[in-house]
Every structure is written in C-alpha cells, then in structure tokens.
Amino acid sequence: AIVEIVVDRDGVLYQGASGLPANTIFNIASMTKPVTSVAIMMLAEQGKLKIDDPVSKYLDGYANLQVISKFNAADTSYETRPAKTVMTIKHLLAHTSGIGYSFTNPIANALVAKTKKGEWELPLLDDPGTKFNYSASTRVLGFIVEKVTGSSLEPWYQEHIFKPLGMVDTSWAVPADKQARLAPQFTRASGKMEPLPKATVPTVPTAPVRGDGGLYSTVEDYSKFVRMLINDGTLGRAKILSPASVRLMGQNAMGSIFVELQPDADKQRTRPFPLGAGKDKFGLGFQIAADDPATRGFRSPGSLSWAGIFNTEFWVDPVKKIGGVHMMQLLPFYDEGAIRALRGFEETVYRELK
C-alpha cells in the first residue's frame, strides 16, 4: 500500500494511491529531521545561533567530548580519548558529529542495550567532522531549538512552519477523530509480509517530543514542505527561509568525506542504506545526489532527499524544479521491494516529464 505525490513550484502534478486513501496519515519517522534542520536555519536567520557555533554554547555536556578509541565487542568494554575537534551545529546537520544510531551502528547498538542511554549521551564513535554516521544528531538539534526558543518543539513548529505552510495533518500526535486515517504498519524482516503490532499513537502532543523523529503527516502535507524548498524558502504568502539559506542547505557540508553505507545492526529495522553511498554528500539536513552516470534518468545531480524508517521517502530537485513524496509503512528500512517501488516511481516521473 503506497501513496505518492509529485509537485512543482505551483502545485500538484500527480497524486496517486494504491491500497490506501490519498489522505492517509503516516508515521514519517526520520522525515522529521529535515523539518528540524529547517527550524535551525530559521533561528540562524534570526541571529539566534550560528551554524558554526560549538554545540557546547547551547547545551551542557558537550564541552569535553570523548571518542571511543578501542572497543571490545565480546564484553562491550571500551577505552576513550579526548575528541580532537569541537562539535558544531554544522556537524549535527551533516551527521558528521561522531554520534551514532543503535539500529545501524554495531558499537552504538551494544552500548545502548547495555547502558540504556540515548546515543547522544555515549562517547563519540569518531572525531566531529571526520566521518559520516547517520545518527541521533538531529535529536540534539531539537534540544538546541528548544533551548534557543524557550518552547517545546510541537507548538513552535506549528506556529512557525506547519500552520504557515498549511500542513494541517502534521504533528507529533494524531487527534482521536483522525486516528482512523492512520496507515497500518507491516514488516517483511522474516521474508514474508506480516502486520506489526498496532502502535499506540498519542491523540494530544505531549512534550518532550523528538527533533529526529515521531512526526505524523500525509503526502499532501509533506509536499507543501517540499514545494517551499523548491520555491527557495517560500510558499504562497509564507516565507520560511531566505533563498540563500535554502541554497546553503543543498551544498556539501562534509568537505572531502562522503555519505557511507550504514550497516544493519538491527536487522528487524533496517537493511544497509542509503542509495548513493560512497558518492553522495550531505548538506545541512539533506543527502545531496552526486552526478552519477548510473542514476541518469532519475533525480538531477544536486537534488536533496531523505527518508523515514518505515520507507517513507522524498526528494527535491532544484534543477527540474519538482519534488516527489512516496509513503508506505513497512519495515525493515530499505526493504528491496520498497526501494524498487521508490525507484520505479521516480523513473516514471522523469520519463513523463520529458
């Protein structure tokens, strides 16, 4: 069951649904991250923070960071050394902070299981700025948004992002009268399609909520966020960001390193990901498509994208000025069938554009 939409600057070019109504509400998981990244850029434009600021300027516990220098997988014992670089907001945006995620990084997986701490509370996997680790970095960005605004995320995002863009179905909660629109969730981790236990979804947003996940949305709502980015930060009368900020978000923020293939430490939740590993860069909150002959006929080089663990995906093509949103509710992330469906959708979109 899939819902898809294609948009350009002016509106919807195509919307289709198979097995679900078009207004189905999805758990968009890590597609929350680009929204938090945009919130950070908004605060930067307001002069309330700088992208190159040390994280320790806003949050306690980030001043004298330690990096794991030796790890023993047998008993999860480890040694650390002081970090050689200072962690900045930019590192968090580009997933080069040295923080990991337990579902994909084996060391983070072992330590979270043992200590019951969040990944951001553990010693770093690498020196900030030296390696791409998909991570809870955006959780930390959420803490910074809360610190700087003095507000929890839901009311601030509603007032400054969702309401101005007309995103009426996007929230960390799904009101009781909308719960019937929630998409059922499935897993194919064992090889056969099975329903996941029905998740309890809050009817009222209750702080704390996460900057790196937990939003619910529809393809139509998220396509408005995508259109804002295609339109250089503006949608209708809503001005979310300046064109300069949107451009900056779409530029390489990791220097000479690349997005790397992330392992499947938790095979129930993920396969190795993402497409473009080894070639693509990460900007400020988005993966940036490389100029790769193997992907001609798909999104243009320089396109921005990210995804959610239940195989929700989107991309923003600043060259062709279009964007696509493709949503399903299936684990594991990067399930072969899910990726085939995404690539088929994208290929069809670009073939029809010609």
Side-chain angles (χ1 to χ4, degrees), residues 8-342:
D8 64 5
R9 277 184 285 203
D10 304 318
V12 177
L13 298 177
Y14 163 82
Q15 186 165 3
S18 165
L20 290 169
N23 71 345
T24 295
I25 296 172
F26 294 86
N27 177 341
I28 63 166
S30 289
M31 276 168 60
T32 304
K33 288 182 171 72
V35 182
T36 295
S37 303
V38 162
I40 288 281
M41 299 306 283
M42 292 167 78
L43 295 172
E45 283 189 9
Q46 293 167 22
K48 293 188 175 152
L49 56 80
K50 292 192 179 74
I51 299 306
D52 290 317
D53 281 343
V55 177
S56 59
K57 183 174 174 181
Y58 303 94
L59 303 174
D60 294 336
Y62 288 84
N64 301 302
L65 294 167
Q66 295 288 312
V67 177
I68 295 172
S69 52
K70 267 192 189 150
F71 181 76
N72 182 338
D75 65 359
T76 67
S77 62
Y78 59 85
E79 292 172 22
T80 63
R81 59 166 176 80
K84 293 174 184 163
T85 42
V86 171
M87 189 196 290
T88 65
I89 292 175
K90 186 177 182 178
H91 293 141
L92 294 172
L93 286 160
H95 292 282
T96 57
S97 66
I99 298 169
Y101 250 152
S102 64
F103 78 92
T104 178
N105 183 278
I107 294 176
N109 190 293
L111 292 180
V112 167
K114 184 179 182 178
T115 64
K116 306 294 181 257
K117 286 183 174 176
E119 293 96 341
W120 63 95
E121 299 168 306
L122 299 169
L124 302 180
L125 299 167
D126 300 282
D127 287 303
T130 63
K131 193 171 191 282
F132 175 82
N133 288 298
Y134 184 50
S135 69
S137 290
T138 322
R139 172 82 65 109
V140 182
L141 290 175
F143 298 150
I144 294 173
V145 173
E146 289 174 331
K147 186 72 185 271
V148 170
T149 61
S151 164
S152 62
L153 298 182
E154 170 90 25
W156 201 88
Y157 286 24
Q158 288 294 351
E159 183 185 344
H160 299 279
I161 302 174
F162 303 150
K163 287 203 173 94
L165 292 176
M167 294 169 70
V168 294
D169 286 326
T170 304
S171 168
W172 273 275
V174 177
D177 61 352
K178 291 184 183 179
Q179 292 242 348
R181 289 166 53 197
L182 278 162
Q185 297 181 325
F186 296 90
T187 177
R188 198 156 42 198
S190 68
K192 67 173 193 288
M193 189 79 81
E194 298 168 312
L196 281 167
K198 200 166 164 24
T200 307
V201 178
T203 53
V204 180
T206 315
V209 296
R210 301 166 45 175
D212 63 339
L215 274 178
Y216 292 86
S217 191
T218 62
V219 293
E220 190 180 343
D221 263 20
Y222 208 86
S223 76
K224 291 171 181 172
F225 180 75
V226 165
R227 275 178 61 210
M228 175 273 290
L229 293 165
I230 300 170
N231 282 307
D232 299 321
T234 305
L235 185 65
R237 281 192 218 149
K239 189 171 181 345
I240 304 294
L241 287 174
S242 69
S245 289
V246 175
R247 268 199 306 279
L248 190 61
M249 293 184 93
Q251 288 167 5
N252 170 21
M254 54 181 5
S256 60
I257 62 174
F258 292 91
V259 170
E260 287 183 40
L261 194 67
Q262 303 297 290
D264 51 349
D266 180 347
K267 291 178 171 49
Q268 297 300 308
R269 294 181 71 74
T270 196
R271 300 279 175 264
F273 67 94
L275 292 165
K279 294 172 181 164
D280 290 2
K281 296 289 188 180
F282 221 87
L284 302 177
F286 302 92
Q287 186 174 343
I288 305 164
D291 190 357
D292 179 8
T295 56
R296 298 276 150 80
F298 291 94
R299 62 190 80 165
S300 308
S303 290
L304 318 183
S305 67
W306 202 239
I309 201 163
F310 294 102
N311 288 296
T312 58
E313 307 254 359
F314 77 95
W315 78 91
V316 177
D317 187 330
V319 180
K320 298 272 206 286
K321 300 287 184 196
I322 64 157
V325 185
H326 162 99
M327 292 194 191
M328 53 174 73
Q329 291 284 273
L330 176 69
L331 289 176
F333 185 46
Y334 263 63
D335 168 84
E336 266 177 52
I339 293 301
R340 231 180 8 253
L342 168 72

